[in-house]
Structure formats: C-alpha cells, structure tokens
Amino acid sequence: MRAAPLAVTALAAALLLTACDDGGDSSADRASASPKSGSTCALGTVDLEVGPANVAPAAGDTGNIPVTLTNQSAPCTLEGFPAVDLKASDSTVGLAEDKAAQPQKLTLAKGDTASFTITYVRAEPGAAGSLDVRTLDIALPGDGTRKSYKWSYGPVQGKSGTADALNASVSAFAQAGD
C-alpha cells in the first residue's frame, strides 16, 4: 500500500514550504489577496451633502464644513482623501490633506454613509494673500469626475502671506451613521 506514504510525503513537503515563509507579502501577493469588496465609489453612484457648516464668523476664526456621502448603488470602496479645490474667479487652489488624519479603507453598502471635513481659516475680505473663494470642487479617489458647490463661507486665509497655499485642509474619509 504505497498511496499512504506518497500522501504523507506530499503533506510534509507542503508543511515544509509553509514553514519557510518569512511572513512578508510581495506587492503582487497583496494585490491578489486584497478583498474584492466592490468597485471604487464614484460621484455618479453616491449622493453628496455639503454642510451644514460651522462657519468661521470673523477673520482669523476657524470653520468646519462636513461633507457626507451616501452610497446609492452596489457596494463600493473609499480609501484615502478626497480631492478638494477652492476656486476664485481667477485661480484654483487644492487643499492639503490633514496631517493628523489616518486614512482607512471603507466599504460602503447601498445606503451606507461616510464623511470628511473641510477645515479653513477665514480671511478679511480683500486681504493680501487670501483667496476670495466662489466655488468648492470635490472629487473622490479613483474617480476623475468633479462636482461643484457654491462657497458661501467667506474668503480663505493664505499661508505665509500667499494664496498659493491656503490655511485649509481636508480630512480622510470616516464611516458615518450607525
């Protein structure tokens, strides 16, 4: 009866190869092992709600604008940070990612919500180095589509006396709701 020794030998070889694994995954292994939990969320399949905002009442004050996404379609994923641009009549400035935020991968089933927050410092109207924002543009990671909203929160203060970099940031996505 030679079948038993062959099966034992095959099992021993498999265990030996497993024992030699250093525990590290190559990028190809991680990519193929990542769960297929749905496609990337896109603006065409999620509803966005901007606000209500905690508006900065005066120059030098900080305001926060929550943005809530609700998935209206098949399960999809969000990972990282949204792309947020603030536009004036003659320029556009992309917001920096909040350095304290820890991005995570979220899977949203139909009806699930996630949110992120835009934080900004209000400037004096017409102040040098500020941006008189008129429009807020939002794009989701992996989706080239942008959606625009009217900005009604006043001018935004620039960093170091220039409007090329604003005193504003965007947080990572966070799960919202129950």
Side-chain angles (χ1 to χ4, degrees):
M1 186 154 186
R2 298 193 73 175
L6 287 175
V8 170
T9 303
L11 179 61
L15 290 174
L16 182 60
L17 288 173
T18 303
C20 292
D21 183 12
D22 66 0
D25 290 335
S26 70
S27 59
D29 291 340
R30 286 190 300 271
S32 64
S34 60
K36 304 297 182 207
S37 54
S39 61
T40 301
C41 294
L43 287 177
T45 62
V46 300
D47 285 339
L48 285 179
E49 180 182 342
V50 177
N54 174 18
V55 178
D61 291 340
T62 300
N64 297 297
I65 306 162
V67 179
T68 304
L69 299 83
T70 304
N71 185 18
Q72 299 299 321
S73 189
C76 64
T77 59
L78 291 169
E79 188 169 11
F81 294 83
V84 176
D85 292 337
L86 298 183
K87 291 183 168 188
S89 58
D90 59 349
S91 62
T92 300
V93 178
L95 296 189
E97 297 170 354
D98 180 351
K99 292 178 181 168
Q102 296 296 316
Q104 57 186 325
K105 185 173 186 174
L106 301 177
T107 300
L108 302 179
K110 184 174 182 175
D112 283 353
T113 59
S115 65
F116 64 90
T117 302
I118 300 166
T119 302
Y120 71 100
V121 176
R122 189 170 181 156
E124 281 289 338
S130 67
L131 188 66
D132 189 17
V133 179
R134 300 286 180 219
T135 307
L136 162 68
D137 280 359
I138 299 171
L140 302 180
D143 180 25
T145 308
R146 292 190 166 273
K147 193 159 185 180
S148 296
Y149 298 88
K150 182 177 179 180
W151 180 271
S152 58
Y153 313 112
V156 178
Q157 191 175 73
K159 290 183 179 179
S160 304
T162 177
D164 293 340
L166 297 175
N167 198 348
S169 63
V170 61
S171 73
F173 296 104
Q175 195 78 42
D178 299 356

